[in-house]
Amino acid sequence: MNTVAIQHQRVLSGMRPTGRLHLGHYHGVLKNWVQLQHEYECFLFVADWHALTTHYEDPSIIEQSVWDMVVDWLAAGISPGSAKMFIQSKVPEHAELYTLLSMITPLSWLERVPSYKDQQEKLKEKDLATYGFLGYPLLQSADILIYKAGMVPVGEDQVAHVELTREVARRFNHLYGREPDFEEKAKQAAKKMGKKNAKMLFKYRKEYQEKGDVEALKVAQALLESQQNISIGDKERLFGYLEGSGKIILPEPQALLTPASKMPGLDGQKMSKSYNNTIALRDDTDNVATKLRTMPTDPARVRRNDPGDPGKCPVWQFHRVYSSADTCQWVQDGCKHATIGCLECKQPIIDAVLMELKPIQDRAREYEGDMSAVKAIINEGNAAAREVARDTLEEVRKAMGIAYL
Ligand code: TRP
Ligand code: SF4
């Protein structure tokens, strides 16, 4: 398959091994992955090298975190039949591409990535003035580009990294996709489409390049895609020719922005381990019920007959995620008129969360009891990922003039 066709069907995303996942991960990321795995070819990986960029002083927790996270992925419904799951450090090709890309990446591009300074400020107790930490976003670029992924589902905080990836890919294609006789080769290739098609292709190309008509570009790409008797190399030339670049070797990915999760933490802030306000996917029933029963409510409701305001209550945020319109109405009325108690109000949430967690926990238990099966799934994912990664690297080595022997 040619680069552009691959790009349009492939999704890649990664997660740092942070241990057991919670409802925030589930609603924010995992449900989205589960959906995507049925629509695209998905590569999902554990970013263990990324964990080392910030936790190099205490690597002892990484291994357990990796397996805890993978079990939670599987429990949440990521299926090895649909998605390739693997571990970054088991596909060392990422590191080679990272090295090669570092040759062409201006230092200033990395220094101006917002997370570089932000995280150094935030994690003051850690020395993050390391080369690895500066290079982190470029490692992420290599993660993405090595699979020629077109779509990268990420949260807001990662968009700048995908943007960097696009710039690096553009620079790479610009530097290495230019064959000396590129124009001529592209025109020769177009001829193989037949006169009529070639003419259309040139027309759309002009509309895109002169007027920025993105629709025209899409039509032209589809036309090119459908050609049967053009070689992959020629197609790649023509895709590049359409966009005004050289041959496209590394396609530019798009960030698939994950809608900010509505899932709040137990205290109404964002659910996060560092705020200690989480419900983990594998918290047992009693623990979940206790956490919810003791979560704070509108402080105005000291007594049962003090009226409250759901707008000031984290429990209401949970209702917005879990409850029907009728139940929401019941909460609004009951809270404002003090006709329901807070424990009563929480009961539907407790039921809904437990019901949501039940199938997840059942699956988690199965996988926990059979870690060799989990490891086999990851081993297979590693191998499948490596195969793809190797092919890309071969092209990159060729383009950069080091494909000898
Ligand atoms: N940096 C991401 C995070 O902290 C994890 C990550 C690493 C990633 N490489 C990636 C995400 C590639 C998407 C694509 O969440
Ligand atoms: Fe919150 Fe419900 Fe109590 Fe109102 S009744 S304060 S919404 S828990």
Side-chain angles (χ1 to χ4, degrees):
M1 221 184 318
N2 69 75
T3 294
V4 174
I6 290 172
Q7 170 194 13
H8 287 157
Q9 63 161 33
R10 203 168 276 168
V11 162
L12 173 124
S13 201
M15 223 189 255
R16 292 158 157 264
T18 47
R20 295 193 174 197
L21 303 181
H22 52 64
L23 281 176
H25 297 114
Y26 182 65
H27 285 271
V29 184
L30 294 175
K31 273 193 341 196
N32 191 33
W33 283 10
V34 169
Q35 188 65 33
L36 288 167
Q37 72 179 343
H38 301 303
E39 297 164 22
Y40 297 100
E41 185 187 11
C42 287
F43 288 77
L44 306 171
F45 75 99
V46 182
D48 58 347
W49 281 336
H50 285 264
L52 277 178
T53 62
T54 50
H55 290 68
Y56 56 88
E57 283 181 325
D58 179 22
S60 63
I61 49 160
I62 292 183
E63 182 171 359
Q64 190 55 44
S65 302
V66 168
W67 297 117
D68 278 342
M69 195 165 84
V70 171
V71 167
D72 280 341
W73 286 2
L74 292 162
I78 313 282
S79 145
S82 307
K84 295 175 182 72
M85 284 171 267
F86 62 97
I87 296 174
Q88 183 182 35
S89 66
K90 299 297 167 203
V91 187
E93 282 78 4
H94 290 225
E96 185 176 338
L97 184 59
Y98 173 48
T99 300
L100 292 173
L101 294 178
S102 79
M103 307 303 168
I104 66 162
T105 305
L107 210 45
S108 61
W109 290 10
L110 292 171
E111 285 164 342
R112 70 160 199 244
V113 172
S115 59
Y116 179 56
K117 291 226 164 67
D118 290 356
Q119 293 292 96
Q120 280 187 339
E121 290 277 304
K122 237 196 209 157
L123 306 173
K124 272 229 169 73
E125 73 286 0
K126 287 187 181 148
D127 179 6
L128 294 182
T130 57
Y131 167 63
F133 188 68
L134 176 67
Y136 174 136
L138 187 64
L139 178 57
Q140 186 162 351
S141 299
D143 298 336
I144 298 168
L145 294 174
I146 204 155
Y147 301 102
K148 302 187 176 186
M151 287 149 290
V152 186
V154 284
E156 194 78 61
D157 62 320
Q158 300 288 315
V159 171
H161 299 166
V162 179
E163 199 47 50
L164 171 79
T165 305
R166 294 169 60 82
E167 283 171 17
V168 170
R170 209 173 302 146
R171 184 165 163 83
F172 185 93
N173 295 329
H174 177 77
L175 286 168
Y176 307 115
R178 297 230 170 254
E179 302 152 299
D181 45 357
F182 178 72
E183 285 266 334
E184 194 44 42
K185 276 190 174 156
K187 282 184 182 152
Q188 287 301 327
K191 271 192 193 152
K192 295 177 196 158
M193 300 171 66
K195 249 200 190 134
K196 215 176 97 200
N197 283 336
K199 213 171 137 190
M200 273 213 284
L201 195 79
F202 290 133
K203 184 176 134 250
Y204 290 130
R205 173 180 183 265
K206 203 166 157 212
E207 277 165 24
Y208 170 65
Q209 291 195 5
E210 287 179 6
K211 298 182 211 141
D213 184 345
V214 179
E215 278 312 304
L217 175 66
K218 281 195 188 145
V219 177
Q221 284 177 336
L223 175 68
L224 191 51
E225 201 67 71
S226 69
Q227 298 302 310
Q228 302 293 330
N229 45 8
I230 294 194
S231 70
I232 288 180
D234 271 345
K235 270 195 186 168
E236 278 166 5
R237 272 181 202 102
L238 284 169
F239 277 117
Y241 185 64
L242 284 175
E243 295 193 41
S245 63
K247 196 167 152 180
I248 295 178
I249 302 166
L250 299 176
E252 292 178 34
Q254 302 271 0
L256 263 189
L257 197 56
T258 316
S261 165
K262 287 206 196 79
M263 193 66 224
L266 290 163
D267 55 1
Q269 299 185 77
K270 182 182 146 113
M271 190 178 279
S272 158
K273 221 166 36 191
S274 50
Y275 298 149
N276 203 8
N277 63 359
T278 64
I279 294 177
L281 297 181
R282 280 187 266 167
D283 276 349
D284 67 37
T285 302
D286 287 347
N287 196 357
V288 172
T290 307
K291 279 182 177 178
L292 288 168
R293 253 186 240 119
T294 53
M295 75 185 272
T297 59
D298 177 358
R301 293 206 73 186
V302 183
R303 281 183 212 93
R304 167 74 166 72
N305 44 9
D306 293 330
D309 174 3
K312 294 183 181 144
C313 178
V315 177
W316 169 244
Q317 304 294 328
F318 275 71
H319 277 293
R320 300 206 348 185
V321 174
Y322 288 103
S323 298
S324 68
D326 281 351
T327 305
C328 285
Q329 195 57 51
W330 170 77
V331 172
Q332 286 286 340
D333 294 343
C335 182
K336 287 177 184 159
H337 302 112
T339 54
I340 58 170
C342 289
L343 266 184
E344 211 179 336
C345 179
K346 287 171 172 177
Q347 194 54 49
I349 302 290
I350 296 175
D351 296 340
V353 171
L354 289 177
M355 200 156 81
E356 178 171 70
L357 290 180
K358 171 90 171 60
I360 297 177
Q361 298 193 342
D362 287 348
R363 266 196 300 262
R365 218 168 291 122
E366 261 175 54
Y367 283 114
E368 270 175 308
D370 191 0
M371 282 310 289
S372 60
V374 174
K375 293 189 177 175
I377 289 170
I378 293 297
N379 263 328
E380 251 177 60
N382 292 342
R386 278 197 92 165
E387 223 168 275
V388 175
R390 257 190 225 120
D391 285 349
T392 306
L393 256 186
E394 196 49 43
E395 282 180 71
V396 168
R397 288 196 202 105
K398 251 189 222 151
M400 293 182 83
I402 54 166
Y404 29 81
L405 279 184

